[in-house]
Amino acid sequence: MLTGGWSQDSEATFRRQVADVLKPEHDDYYLLRWLRARSWNPEAAEKMLRDSMKFRERWNADEIDQWPTPQVLKDLTPHGTPGFDRDGSPIIIIPFAGFDIWGLLHTVSRADIVRMTMQALERYMKLAFEQSQKTGNPACRQVVVIFDMENFNLKQYVWRPASEVVISLIKMYEANYPEILKCCYIINAPKVFAFAYNMVKNFLGEYTITKIKIYKSDQSKWLPPILERCDPSQLPAHFGGTQTDDDGNPKCENKVKYGGKVPKELYTSKEDSFNNNVPFNETEIKKGGKLKLAFDCEDAGCFLKWEFRTFEHDIRFGIKCTNKKTMESNEEVPLRRVASHQIDESGFIPCQPGCHYSVLFDNSYSYFKTKKIRYSVVMTTPLAEIEQAACENIAPLATEDAVEAL
Protein backbone atom coordinates (compact mmCIF):
# COMPACT_ATOMS: atom_id res chain seq x y z
CA MET A 1 0.00 0.00 0.00
CA LEU A 2 1.11 3.54 -0.63
CA THR A 3 1.10 5.30 2.69
CA GLY A 4 3.24 7.85 4.46
CA GLY A 5 3.06 11.60 3.83
CA TRP A 6 0.07 11.46 1.49
CA SER A 7 -2.31 14.40 1.49
CA GLN A 8 -5.22 15.35 -0.73
CA ASP A 9 -3.62 18.74 -1.37
CA SER A 10 -0.38 17.28 -2.71
CA GLU A 11 -2.28 14.85 -4.91
CA ALA A 12 -4.57 17.58 -6.26
CA THR A 13 -1.60 19.86 -6.97
CA PHE A 14 0.23 17.06 -8.73
CA ARG A 15 -2.79 16.13 -10.83
CA ARG A 16 -3.20 19.74 -12.03
CA GLN A 17 0.50 20.03 -12.92
CA VAL A 18 0.56 16.88 -15.06
CA ALA A 19 -2.98 17.01 -16.46
CA ASP A 20 -1.65 17.56 -19.99
CA VAL A 21 0.15 14.19 -20.10
CA LEU A 22 -2.28 11.99 -18.16
CA LYS A 23 -4.20 9.20 -19.86
CA PRO A 24 -7.63 7.80 -18.91
CA GLU A 25 -6.05 4.82 -17.13
CA HIS A 26 -3.91 7.07 -14.90
CA ASP A 27 -6.00 6.95 -11.73
CA ASP A 28 -5.27 8.19 -8.20
CA TYR A 29 -3.23 5.11 -7.38
CA TYR A 30 -1.01 5.76 -10.38
CA LEU A 31 -0.40 9.36 -9.29
CA LEU A 32 0.37 8.31 -5.73
CA ARG A 33 3.17 6.07 -7.00
CA TRP A 34 5.08 9.06 -8.37
CA LEU A 35 4.38 11.21 -5.32
CA ARG A 36 5.55 8.50 -2.95
CA ALA A 37 8.72 8.01 -4.98
CA ARG A 38 9.53 11.69 -4.52
CA SER A 39 8.56 11.99 -0.84
CA TRP A 40 5.25 13.70 -1.66
CA ASN A 41 6.92 16.66 -3.39
CA PRO A 42 4.58 17.56 -6.31
CA GLU A 43 7.28 19.45 -8.25
CA ALA A 44 9.81 16.62 -7.99
CA ALA A 45 7.13 14.06 -8.84
CA GLU A 46 6.12 16.09 -11.89
CA LYS A 47 9.68 16.15 -13.20
CA MET A 48 10.05 12.42 -12.61
CA LEU A 49 6.79 11.64 -14.44
CA ARG A 50 7.53 13.92 -17.40
CA ASP A 51 11.03 12.48 -17.77
CA SER A 52 9.53 9.01 -17.73
CA MET A 53 6.97 9.97 -20.38
CA LYS A 54 9.83 11.03 -22.65
CA PHE A 55 11.60 7.75 -21.91
CA ARG A 56 8.49 5.74 -22.76
CA GLU A 57 8.06 7.64 -26.02
CA ARG A 58 11.69 7.06 -26.96
CA TRP A 59 11.45 3.31 -26.33
CA ASN A 60 7.89 2.95 -27.63
CA ALA A 61 6.93 1.45 -24.27
CA ASP A 62 3.18 1.41 -24.94
CA GLU A 63 3.79 -0.99 -27.83
CA ILE A 64 6.69 -2.92 -26.28
CA ASP A 65 4.64 -6.08 -25.95
CA GLN A 66 4.55 -6.30 -29.75
CA TRP A 67 8.35 -6.12 -30.01
CA PRO A 68 9.68 -9.41 -31.49
CA THR A 69 11.87 -10.62 -28.63
CA PRO A 70 15.00 -12.43 -29.87
CA GLN A 71 14.60 -16.17 -29.30
CA VAL A 72 17.73 -16.40 -27.18
CA LEU A 73 16.20 -13.91 -24.72
CA LYS A 74 12.92 -15.81 -24.69
CA ASP A 75 14.69 -19.08 -23.96
CA LEU A 76 17.52 -18.03 -21.64
CA THR A 77 16.31 -15.09 -19.57
CA PRO A 78 15.49 -16.41 -16.10
CA HIS A 79 12.14 -15.32 -14.62
CA GLY A 80 8.57 -16.48 -14.17
CA THR A 81 5.36 -16.18 -12.19
CA PRO A 82 4.25 -19.32 -10.29
CA GLY A 83 1.35 -17.68 -8.48
CA PHE A 84 0.13 -14.86 -6.25
CA ASP A 85 0.68 -13.77 -2.66
CA ARG A 86 -2.05 -13.78 -0.02
CA ASP A 87 -3.28 -10.35 -1.23
CA GLY A 88 -3.37 -11.48 -4.85
CA SER A 89 -0.17 -9.75 -6.00
CA PRO A 90 1.95 -11.57 -8.61
CA ILE A 91 4.96 -13.50 -7.31
CA ILE A 92 7.99 -13.19 -9.61
CA ILE A 93 10.86 -15.64 -9.24
CA ILE A 94 14.24 -14.82 -10.80
CA PRO A 95 16.94 -17.56 -10.61
CA PHE A 96 19.67 -14.98 -11.16
CA ALA A 97 22.58 -17.37 -11.68
CA GLY A 98 20.92 -18.40 -14.95
CA PHE A 99 21.37 -14.89 -16.35
CA ASP A 100 24.38 -15.36 -18.64
CA ILE A 101 25.10 -11.69 -19.18
CA TRP A 102 28.42 -12.42 -20.89
CA GLY A 103 26.80 -14.71 -23.44
CA LEU A 104 23.79 -12.48 -24.03
CA LEU A 105 25.95 -9.41 -24.66
CA HIS A 106 27.88 -11.41 -27.25
CA THR A 107 24.61 -12.40 -28.91
CA VAL A 108 22.19 -9.47 -28.71
CA SER A 109 22.57 -5.72 -28.23
CA ARG A 110 22.33 -3.80 -24.99
CA ALA A 111 19.20 -2.17 -26.37
CA ASP A 112 17.65 -5.64 -26.82
CA ILE A 113 18.27 -6.42 -23.14
CA VAL A 114 16.70 -3.09 -22.15
CA ARG A 115 13.64 -3.77 -24.33
CA MET A 116 13.33 -7.31 -22.99
CA THR A 117 13.40 -6.00 -19.41
CA MET A 118 10.81 -3.34 -20.21
CA GLN A 119 8.64 -5.93 -21.91
CA ALA A 120 8.73 -8.16 -18.82
CA LEU A 121 7.99 -5.24 -16.47
CA GLU A 122 5.07 -4.06 -18.59
CA ARG A 123 3.60 -7.57 -18.68
CA TYR A 124 3.93 -7.97 -14.92
CA MET A 125 2.34 -4.58 -14.36
CA LYS A 126 -0.55 -5.56 -16.62
CA LEU A 127 -0.98 -8.83 -14.72
CA ALA A 128 -0.91 -6.96 -11.40
CA PHE A 129 -3.51 -4.47 -12.64
CA GLU A 130 -5.78 -7.32 -13.77
CA GLN A 131 -5.42 -8.87 -10.32
CA SER A 132 -6.45 -5.62 -8.66
CA GLN A 133 -9.54 -5.51 -10.89
CA LYS A 134 -10.47 -9.09 -9.97
CA THR A 135 -9.94 -8.69 -6.24
CA GLY A 136 -10.87 -5.04 -5.81
CA ASN A 137 -7.63 -4.65 -3.87
CA PRO A 138 -5.22 -1.93 -5.12
CA ALA A 139 -2.38 -3.61 -3.19
CA CYS A 140 -2.35 -6.22 -5.96
CA ARG A 141 -0.80 -3.63 -8.26
CA GLN A 142 2.53 -4.25 -6.57
CA VAL A 143 4.61 -7.39 -7.05
CA VAL A 144 6.55 -9.75 -4.81
CA VAL A 145 10.00 -10.69 -6.15
CA ILE A 146 12.18 -13.63 -5.11
CA PHE A 147 15.76 -13.46 -6.36
CA ASP A 148 17.50 -16.83 -6.02
CA MET A 149 21.24 -16.15 -5.87
CA GLU A 150 22.31 -19.80 -5.61
CA ASN A 151 25.50 -20.38 -7.68
CA PHE A 152 25.85 -16.63 -8.24
CA ASN A 153 29.16 -15.88 -9.94
CA LEU A 154 30.56 -12.38 -9.55
CA LYS A 155 33.15 -12.93 -12.29
CA GLN A 156 30.78 -11.97 -15.11
CA TYR A 157 29.91 -8.66 -13.45
CA VAL A 158 33.51 -7.56 -13.03
CA TRP A 159 33.42 -7.26 -16.82
CA ARG A 160 32.62 -3.59 -17.39
CA PRO A 161 29.94 -3.92 -20.10
CA ALA A 162 28.04 -6.38 -17.89
CA SER A 163 28.12 -4.13 -14.84
CA GLU A 164 27.09 -1.15 -16.97
CA VAL A 165 24.05 -3.03 -18.28
CA VAL A 166 22.94 -4.10 -14.82
CA ILE A 167 23.33 -0.58 -13.45
CA SER A 168 21.47 0.92 -16.41
CA LEU A 169 18.59 -1.52 -15.88
CA ILE A 170 18.40 -0.62 -12.19
CA LYS A 171 18.39 3.09 -13.00
CA MET A 172 15.72 2.54 -15.66
CA TYR A 173 13.56 0.68 -13.16
CA GLU A 174 13.96 3.31 -10.44
CA ALA A 175 13.18 6.19 -12.81
CA ASN A 176 10.25 4.68 -14.67
CA TYR A 177 8.57 2.01 -12.53
CA PRO A 178 8.27 3.58 -9.07
CA GLU A 179 6.41 1.84 -6.27
CA ILE A 180 5.54 -1.36 -8.14
CA LEU A 181 7.63 -3.44 -5.70
CA LYS A 182 5.80 -4.71 -2.60
CA CYS A 183 8.79 -6.63 -1.26
CA CYS A 184 11.89 -8.43 -2.50
CA TYR A 185 13.46 -11.54 -1.00
CA ILE A 186 17.05 -12.23 -2.04
CA ILE A 187 17.74 -15.82 -0.99
CA ASN A 188 20.76 -18.16 -1.04
CA ALA A 189 23.09 -15.18 -1.20
CA PRO A 190 26.79 -16.19 -1.07
CA LYS A 191 29.36 -14.05 0.72
CA VAL A 192 30.55 -12.54 -2.55
CA PHE A 193 27.05 -11.18 -3.19
CA ALA A 194 27.59 -8.56 -0.48
CA PHE A 195 30.26 -6.96 -2.66
CA ALA A 196 27.93 -6.78 -5.67
CA TYR A 197 25.01 -5.47 -3.63
CA ASN A 198 27.10 -2.70 -2.07
CA MET A 199 27.82 -1.46 -5.59
CA VAL A 200 24.28 -1.54 -6.98
CA LYS A 201 22.42 -0.28 -3.92
CA ASN A 202 23.87 3.17 -4.58
CA PHE A 203 21.52 3.31 -7.56
CA LEU A 204 18.45 2.21 -5.60
CA GLY A 205 16.09 4.58 -3.86
CA GLU A 206 16.00 4.46 -0.08
CA TYR A 207 12.39 3.31 -0.07
CA THR A 208 13.23 0.45 -2.45
CA ILE A 209 16.11 -0.64 -0.20
CA THR A 210 13.76 -0.89 2.79
CA LYS A 211 11.72 -3.48 0.86
CA ILE A 212 14.70 -5.76 0.20
CA LYS A 213 15.46 -8.64 2.57
CA ILE A 214 18.66 -10.63 2.06
CA TYR A 215 19.19 -14.20 3.32
CA LYS A 216 22.09 -16.63 3.16
CA SER A 217 21.77 -20.21 1.91
CA ASP A 218 19.61 -21.37 4.81
CA GLN A 219 16.03 -22.26 3.92
CA SER A 220 15.05 -22.27 7.59
CA LYS A 221 15.78 -18.51 7.61
CA TRP A 222 14.27 -17.33 4.32
CA LEU A 223 11.28 -19.64 3.91
CA PRO A 224 9.21 -18.56 6.98
CA PRO A 225 9.01 -14.85 6.00
CA ILE A 226 8.13 -15.83 2.43
CA LEU A 227 5.38 -18.17 3.64
CA GLU A 228 3.98 -15.41 5.83
CA ARG A 229 3.22 -13.55 2.61
CA CYS A 230 2.74 -16.41 0.15
CA ASP A 231 0.71 -19.60 0.48
CA PRO A 232 2.76 -22.77 -0.23
CA SER A 233 0.35 -23.65 -3.05
CA GLN A 234 1.61 -20.58 -4.94
CA LEU A 235 5.31 -21.53 -4.82
CA PRO A 236 7.35 -24.24 -6.56
CA ALA A 237 8.42 -27.11 -4.30
CA HIS A 238 12.02 -26.14 -5.09
CA PHE A 239 11.40 -22.91 -3.16
CA GLY A 240 9.55 -24.48 -0.25
CA GLY A 241 6.07 -24.56 -1.75
CA THR A 242 3.92 -27.43 -2.97
CA GLN A 243 3.77 -26.77 -6.72
CA THR A 244 5.29 -29.18 -9.23
CA ASP A 245 5.01 -29.59 -12.98
CA ASP A 246 2.80 -32.38 -14.30
CA ASP A 247 5.88 -34.61 -14.49
CA GLY A 248 6.73 -33.91 -10.85
CA ASN A 249 9.49 -31.38 -11.54
CA PRO A 250 9.80 -29.37 -8.27
CA LYS A 251 11.26 -26.36 -10.13
CA CYS A 252 8.02 -25.78 -12.09
CA GLU A 253 9.94 -25.04 -15.26
CA ASN A 254 6.66 -24.69 -17.14
CA LYS A 255 6.11 -21.48 -15.17
CA VAL A 256 9.62 -20.32 -14.26
CA LYS A 257 12.49 -20.15 -16.74
CA TYR A 258 15.87 -20.85 -15.20
CA GLY A 259 18.04 -19.41 -17.97
CA GLY A 260 21.41 -20.93 -18.72
CA LYS A 261 24.56 -20.54 -20.74
CA VAL A 262 24.21 -19.05 -24.20
CA PRO A 263 25.70 -21.52 -26.74
CA LYS A 264 28.84 -20.04 -28.25
CA GLU A 265 27.62 -20.85 -31.73
CA LEU A 266 25.01 -18.12 -31.22
CA TYR A 267 27.63 -15.49 -30.47
CA THR A 268 27.87 -12.67 -32.99
CA SER A 269 31.44 -11.51 -33.53
CA LYS A 270 32.27 -7.82 -33.84
CA GLU A 271 33.08 -8.38 -37.50
CA ASP A 272 29.62 -9.85 -38.09
CA SER A 273 27.87 -6.91 -36.43
CA PHE A 274 29.38 -4.61 -39.04
CA ASN A 275 28.79 -6.95 -41.96
CA ASN A 276 25.75 -5.16 -43.36
CA ASN A 277 24.79 -2.37 -45.72
CA VAL A 278 25.08 0.41 -43.16
CA PRO A 279 27.82 2.88 -44.15
CA PHE A 280 30.74 2.87 -41.69
CA ASN A 281 33.61 5.28 -41.33
CA GLU A 282 36.95 4.60 -39.69
CA THR A 283 39.19 7.28 -38.23
CA GLU A 284 41.51 8.15 -35.37
CA ILE A 285 40.74 10.66 -32.65
CA LYS A 286 43.99 12.13 -31.45
CA LYS A 287 44.93 12.29 -27.80
CA GLY A 288 43.14 15.25 -26.26
CA GLY A 289 40.92 15.55 -29.34
CA LYS A 290 37.26 15.19 -30.28
CA LEU A 291 35.13 14.04 -33.20
CA LYS A 292 31.87 15.93 -33.75
CA LEU A 293 29.03 14.96 -36.10
CA ALA A 294 26.23 17.42 -36.89
CA PHE A 295 22.65 16.55 -37.91
CA ASP A 296 19.62 18.73 -38.67
CA CYS A 297 16.15 17.22 -38.29
CA GLU A 298 13.59 18.81 -40.60
CA ASP A 299 10.82 16.20 -40.68
CA ALA A 300 8.73 14.52 -37.98
CA GLY A 301 9.30 10.82 -37.36
CA CYS A 302 13.06 10.79 -37.89
CA PHE A 303 15.45 8.82 -35.70
CA LEU A 304 19.14 9.24 -35.01
CA LYS A 305 20.85 5.85 -34.96
CA TRP A 306 24.43 4.99 -34.00
CA GLU A 307 26.69 1.97 -33.88
CA PHE A 308 30.41 2.09 -33.19
CA ARG A 309 33.39 0.37 -31.67
CA THR A 310 36.82 1.51 -30.64
CA PHE A 311 40.00 -0.52 -30.76
CA GLU A 312 41.91 -1.21 -27.53
CA HIS A 313 40.62 1.80 -25.56
CA ASP A 314 37.34 3.35 -24.42
CA ILE A 315 35.86 6.71 -25.50
CA ARG A 316 33.39 9.30 -24.24
CA PHE A 317 30.13 9.48 -26.17
CA GLY A 318 27.15 11.82 -25.94
CA ILE A 319 24.44 13.60 -27.95
CA LYS A 320 23.13 17.15 -27.47
CA CYS A 321 19.94 18.56 -29.01
CA THR A 322 19.45 22.28 -29.71
CA ASN A 323 16.15 23.83 -30.78
CA LYS A 324 17.11 26.08 -33.69
CA LYS A 325 14.31 28.54 -32.97
CA THR A 326 14.65 28.94 -29.19
CA MET A 327 18.32 27.87 -28.96
CA GLU A 328 17.38 25.79 -25.91
CA SER A 329 19.74 22.82 -25.49
CA ASN A 330 19.50 19.54 -23.62
CA GLU A 331 21.46 16.30 -23.42
CA GLU A 332 19.67 13.51 -25.25
CA VAL A 333 22.46 11.08 -24.36
CA PRO A 334 24.60 12.29 -21.43
CA LEU A 335 28.31 12.40 -22.21
CA ARG A 336 30.04 9.45 -20.52
CA ARG A 337 32.82 6.94 -21.03
CA VAL A 338 31.71 3.72 -22.73
CA ALA A 339 33.61 0.46 -23.00
CA SER A 340 33.19 0.28 -26.77
CA HIS A 341 36.54 -1.53 -27.06
CA GLN A 342 34.98 -4.49 -25.27
CA ILE A 343 31.57 -4.62 -26.93
CA ASP A 344 29.86 -2.78 -29.78
CA GLU A 345 27.93 0.32 -28.71
CA SER A 346 24.60 0.97 -30.45
CA GLY A 347 21.31 2.78 -29.96
CA PHE A 348 18.85 5.32 -31.33
CA ILE A 349 16.77 8.32 -30.27
CA PRO A 350 13.66 9.95 -31.82
CA CYS A 351 14.32 13.39 -33.25
CA GLN A 352 12.22 16.54 -33.16
CA PRO A 353 11.71 18.71 -36.26
CA GLY A 354 13.54 22.04 -36.21
CA CYS A 355 16.32 20.74 -33.97
CA HIS A 356 20.07 20.42 -34.42
CA TYR A 357 21.78 17.31 -33.05
CA SER A 358 25.45 17.24 -32.13
CA VAL A 359 27.04 13.81 -31.68
CA LEU A 360 30.34 13.85 -29.81
CA PHE A 361 33.12 11.28 -29.52
CA ASP A 362 35.36 12.81 -26.87
CA ASN A 363 38.98 11.82 -26.25
CA SER A 364 39.93 15.05 -24.48
CA TYR A 365 40.51 13.21 -21.20
CA SER A 366 43.29 11.11 -22.73
CA TYR A 367 46.72 12.74 -22.70
CA PHE A 368 48.67 9.83 -24.18
CA LYS A 369 46.40 7.59 -26.30
CA THR A 370 45.03 8.20 -29.78
CA LYS A 371 41.78 6.27 -30.25
CA LYS A 372 40.91 4.36 -33.40
CA ILE A 373 37.16 4.19 -34.02
CA ARG A 374 34.84 2.64 -36.56
CA TYR A 375 31.38 4.18 -36.55
CA SER A 376 28.06 4.71 -38.29
CA VAL A 377 25.81 7.57 -37.21
CA VAL A 378 22.82 8.24 -39.46
CA MET A 379 19.50 10.05 -39.41
CA THR A 380 16.77 7.80 -40.67
CA THR A 381 13.02 7.47 -40.91
CA PRO A 382 10.75 5.88 -38.27
CA LEU A 383 11.57 2.95 -36.04
CA ALA A 384 10.02 0.32 -38.29
CA GLU A 385 12.62 1.12 -40.94
CA ILE A 386 15.45 1.46 -38.44
CA GLU A 387 15.01 -2.14 -37.38
CA GLN A 388 15.11 -3.52 -40.91
CA ALA A 389 18.39 -5.34 -41.37
CA ALA A 390 18.93 -4.04 -44.88
CA CYS A 391 18.60 -0.43 -43.72
CA GLU A 392 17.20 0.76 -47.07
CA ASN A 393 16.63 4.43 -47.69
CA ILE A 394 19.03 5.60 -45.00
CA ALA A 395 20.48 8.96 -45.91
CA PRO A 396 23.42 10.11 -43.80
CA LEU A 397 23.28 13.85 -43.19
CA ALA A 398 26.34 14.22 -40.99
CA THR A 399 29.14 16.67 -41.47
CA GLU A 400 32.37 15.65 -39.74
CA ASP A 401 34.42 18.06 -37.71
CA ALA A 402 37.41 16.72 -35.83
CA VAL A 403 38.35 19.23 -33.18
CA GLU A 404 41.76 19.36 -31.54
CA ALA A 405 41.84 19.86 -27.78
CA LEU A 406 42.46 23.40 -26.69
Side-chain angles (χ1 to χ4, degrees), residues 89-103:
S89 295
I91 301 169
I92 303 169
I93 293 180
I94 302 175
F96 196 75
F99 188 45
D100 180 15
I101 187 68
W102 172 278

PDB file of all heavy atoms in Angstrom, residues 89-103:
ATOM      1  N   SER A  89      -1.242 -10.351  -5.192  1.00  0.00           N
ATOM      2  CA  SER A  89      -0.173  -9.751  -6.001  1.00  0.00           C
ATOM      3  C   SER A  89       0.655 -10.835  -6.688  1.00  0.00           C
ATOM      4  O   SER A  89       0.905 -11.895  -6.103  1.00  0.00           O
ATOM      5  CB  SER A  89       0.752  -8.912  -5.120  1.00  0.00           C
ATOM      6  OG  SER A  89       0.075  -7.810  -4.563  1.00  0.00           O
ATOM      7  N   PRO A  90       1.117 -10.585  -7.928  1.00  0.00           N
ATOM      8  CA  PRO A  90       1.955 -11.570  -8.608  1.00  0.00           C
ATOM      9  C   PRO A  90       3.261 -11.842  -7.850  1.00  0.00           C
ATOM     10  O   PRO A  90       3.869 -10.924  -7.297  1.00  0.00           O
ATOM     11  CB  PRO A  90       2.247 -10.902  -9.965  1.00  0.00           C
ATOM     12  CG  PRO A  90       1.136  -9.918 -10.150  1.00  0.00           C
ATOM     13  CD  PRO A  90       0.807  -9.423  -8.778  1.00  0.00           C
ATOM     14  N   ILE A  91       3.664 -13.092  -7.844  1.00  0.00           N
ATOM     15  CA  ILE A  91       4.964 -13.503  -7.307  1.00  0.00           C
ATOM     16  C   ILE A  91       5.886 -13.733  -8.493  1.00  0.00           C
ATOM     17  O   ILE A  91       5.578 -14.523  -9.390  1.00  0.00           O
ATOM     18  CB  ILE A  91       4.853 -14.794  -6.484  1.00  0.00           C
ATOM     19  CG1 ILE A  91       3.884 -14.619  -5.316  1.00  0.00           C
ATOM     20  CG2 ILE A  91       6.230 -15.221  -5.973  1.00  0.00           C
ATOM     21  CD1 ILE A  91       3.527 -15.926  -4.623  1.00  0.00           C
ATOM     22  N   ILE A  92       7.010 -13.037  -8.525  1.00  0.00           N
ATOM     23  CA  ILE A  92       7.989 -13.185  -9.605  1.00  0.00           C
ATOM     24  C   ILE A  92       9.235 -13.861  -9.039  1.00  0.00           C
ATOM     25  O   ILE A  92       9.786 -13.402  -8.034  1.00  0.00           O
ATOM     26  CB  ILE A  92       8.363 -11.827 -10.209  1.00  0.00           C
ATOM     27  CG1 ILE A  92       7.113 -11.104 -10.720  1.00  0.00           C
ATOM     28  CG2 ILE A  92       9.393 -11.993 -11.329  1.00  0.00           C
ATOM     29  CD1 ILE A  92       7.356  -9.654 -11.099  1.00  0.00           C
ATOM     30  N   ILE A  93       9.648 -14.941  -9.656  1.00  0.00           N
ATOM     31  CA  ILE A  93      10.862 -15.643  -9.244  1.00  0.00           C
ATOM     32  C   ILE A  93      11.928 -15.444 -10.308  1.00  0.00           C
ATOM     33  O   ILE A  93      11.678 -15.634 -11.504  1.00  0.00           O
ATOM     34  CB  ILE A  93      10.602 -17.139  -9.012  1.00  0.00           C
ATOM     35  CG1 ILE A  93       9.687 -17.317  -7.801  1.00  0.00           C
ATOM     36  CG2 ILE A  93      11.908 -17.896  -8.799  1.00  0.00           C
ATOM     37  CD1 ILE A  93       9.363 -18.768  -7.478  1.00  0.00           C
ATOM     38  N   ILE A  94      13.123 -15.039  -9.875  1.00  0.00           N
ATOM     39  CA  ILE A  94      14.243 -14.818 -10.795  1.00  0.00           C
ATOM     40  C   ILE A  94      15.450 -15.638 -10.313  1.00  0.00           C
ATOM     41  O   ILE A  94      16.122 -15.249  -9.353  1.00  0.00           O
ATOM     42  CB  ILE A  94      14.613 -13.327 -10.867  1.00  0.00           C
ATOM     43  CG1 ILE A  94      13.408 -12.497 -11.315  1.00  0.00           C
ATOM     44  CG2 ILE A  94      15.804 -13.110 -11.812  1.00  0.00           C
ATOM     45  CD1 ILE A  94      13.637 -11.002 -11.308  1.00  0.00           C
ATOM     46  N   PRO A  95      15.733 -16.774 -10.946  1.00  0.00           N
ATOM     47  CA  PRO A  95      16.935 -17.556 -10.613  1.00  0.00           C
ATOM     48  C   PRO A  95      18.153 -16.883 -11.260  1.00  0.00           C
ATOM     49  O   PRO A  95      18.547 -17.200 -12.378  1.00  0.00           O
ATOM     50  CB  PRO A  95      16.659 -18.936 -11.216  1.00  0.00           C
ATOM     51  CG  PRO A  95      15.209 -18.923 -11.615  1.00  0.00           C
ATOM     52  CD  PRO A  95      14.893 -17.484 -11.907  1.00  0.00           C
ATOM     53  N   PHE A  96      18.751 -15.941 -10.551  1.00  0.00           N
ATOM     54  CA  PHE A  96      19.670 -14.983 -11.161  1.00  0.00           C
ATOM     55  C   PHE A  96      20.929 -15.628 -11.738  1.00  0.00           C
ATOM     56  O   PHE A  96      21.515 -15.109 -12.686  1.00  0.00           O
ATOM     57  CB  PHE A  96      20.058 -13.913 -10.143  1.00  0.00           C
ATOM     58  CG  PHE A  96      20.678 -12.691 -10.763  1.00  0.00           C
ATOM     59  CD1 PHE A  96      19.899 -11.766 -11.430  1.00  0.00           C
ATOM     60  CD2 PHE A  96      22.047 -12.480 -10.698  1.00  0.00           C
ATOM     61  CE1 PHE A  96      20.464 -10.655 -12.031  1.00  0.00           C
ATOM     62  CE2 PHE A  96      22.624 -11.363 -11.286  1.00  0.00           C
ATOM     63  CZ  PHE A  96      21.826 -10.442 -11.957  1.00  0.00           C
ATOM     64  N   ALA A  97      21.367 -16.737 -11.172  1.00  0.00           N
ATOM     65  CA  ALA A  97      22.582 -17.375 -11.680  1.00  0.00           C
ATOM     66  C   ALA A  97      22.412 -17.837 -13.125  1.00  0.00           C
ATOM     67  O   ALA A  97      23.397 -18.040 -13.833  1.00  0.00           O
ATOM     68  CB  ALA A  97      22.978 -18.554 -10.790  1.00  0.00           C
ATOM     69  N   GLY A  98      21.161 -17.982 -13.561  1.00  0.00           N
ATOM     70  CA  GLY A  98      20.916 -18.396 -14.947  1.00  0.00           C
ATOM     71  C   GLY A  98      20.972 -17.261 -15.941  1.00  0.00           C
ATOM     72  O   GLY A  98      20.759 -17.466 -17.138  1.00  0.00           O
ATOM     73  N   PHE A  99      21.277 -16.055 -15.463  1.00  0.00           N
ATOM     74  CA  PHE A  99      21.374 -14.888 -16.350  1.00  0.00           C
ATOM     75  C   PHE A  99      22.807 -14.783 -16.862  1.00  0.00           C
ATOM     76  O   PHE A  99      23.682 -14.222 -16.214  1.00  0.00           O
ATOM     77  CB  PHE A  99      20.971 -13.636 -15.573  1.00  0.00           C
ATOM     78  CG  PHE A  99      20.845 -12.393 -16.425  1.00  0.00           C
ATOM     79  CD1 PHE A  99      20.189 -12.413 -17.638  1.00  0.00           C
ATOM     80  CD2 PHE A  99      21.363 -11.185 -15.985  1.00  0.00           C
ATOM     81  CE1 PHE A  99      20.059 -11.271 -18.407  1.00  0.00           C
ATOM     82  CE2 PHE A  99      21.247 -10.031 -16.745  1.00  0.00           C
ATOM     83  CZ  PHE A  99      20.585 -10.082 -17.953  1.00  0.00           C
ATOM     84  N   ASP A 100      23.042 -15.341 -18.041  1.00  0.00           N
ATOM     85  CA  ASP A 100      24.384 -15.361 -18.641  1.00  0.00           C
ATOM     86  C   ASP A 100      24.622 -14.038 -19.366  1.00  0.00           C
ATOM     87  O   ASP A 100      24.521 -13.951 -20.589  1.00  0.00           O
ATOM     88  CB  ASP A 100      24.502 -16.549 -19.598  1.00  0.00           C
ATOM     89  CG  ASP A 100      25.874 -16.633 -20.271  1.00  0.00           C
ATOM     90  OD1 ASP A 100      26.818 -15.962 -19.795  1.00  0.00           O
ATOM     91  OD2 ASP A 100      25.993 -17.369 -21.272  1.00  0.00           O
ATOM     92  N   ILE A 101      24.942 -13.019 -18.601  1.00  0.00           N
ATOM     93  CA  ILE A 101      25.097 -11.691 -19.179  1.00  0.00           C
ATOM     94  C   ILE A 101      26.228 -11.640 -20.190  1.00  0.00           C
ATOM     95  O   ILE A 101      26.140 -10.947 -21.209  1.00  0.00           O
ATOM     96  CB  ILE A 101      25.302 -10.635 -18.049  1.00  0.00           C
ATOM     97  CG1 ILE A 101      25.292  -9.213 -18.617  1.00  0.00           C
ATOM     98  CG2 ILE A 101      26.573 -10.917 -17.269  1.00  0.00           C
ATOM     99  CD1 ILE A 101      23.980  -8.756 -19.139  1.00  0.00           C
ATOM    100  N   TRP A 102      27.304 -12.365 -19.941  1.00  0.00           N
ATOM    101  CA  TRP A 102      28.423 -12.425 -20.890  1.00  0.00           C
ATOM    102  C   TRP A 102      27.941 -12.971 -22.237  1.00  0.00           C
ATOM    103  O   TRP A 102      28.167 -12.377 -23.291  1.00  0.00           O
ATOM    104  CB  TRP A 102      29.543 -13.289 -20.327  1.00  0.00           C
ATOM    105  CG  TRP A 102      30.642 -13.572 -21.308  1.00  0.00           C
ATOM    106  CD1 TRP A 102      30.677 -14.531 -22.279  1.00  0.00           C
ATOM    107  CD2 TRP A 102      31.893 -12.870 -21.442  1.00  0.00           C
ATOM    108  NE1 TRP A 102      31.837 -14.485 -22.995  1.00  0.00           N
ATOM    109  CE2 TRP A 102      32.610 -13.470 -22.504  1.00  0.00           C
ATOM    110  CE3 TRP A 102      32.470 -11.804 -20.756  1.00  0.00           C
ATOM    111  CZ2 TRP A 102      33.874 -13.030 -22.888  1.00  0.00           C
ATOM    112  CZ3 TRP A 102      33.729 -11.383 -21.149  1.00  0.00           C
ATOM    113  CH2 TRP A 102      34.413 -11.984 -22.202  1.00  0.00           C
ATOM    114  N   GLY A 103      27.260 -14.104 -22.202  1.00  0.00           N
ATOM    115  CA  GLY A 103      26.797 -14.713 -23.440  1.00  0.00           C
ATOM    116  C   GLY A 103      25.763 -13.876 -24.160  1.00  0.00           C
ATOM    117  O   GLY A 103      25.802 -13.738 -25.389  1.00  0.00           O
TER     118      GLY A 103
END
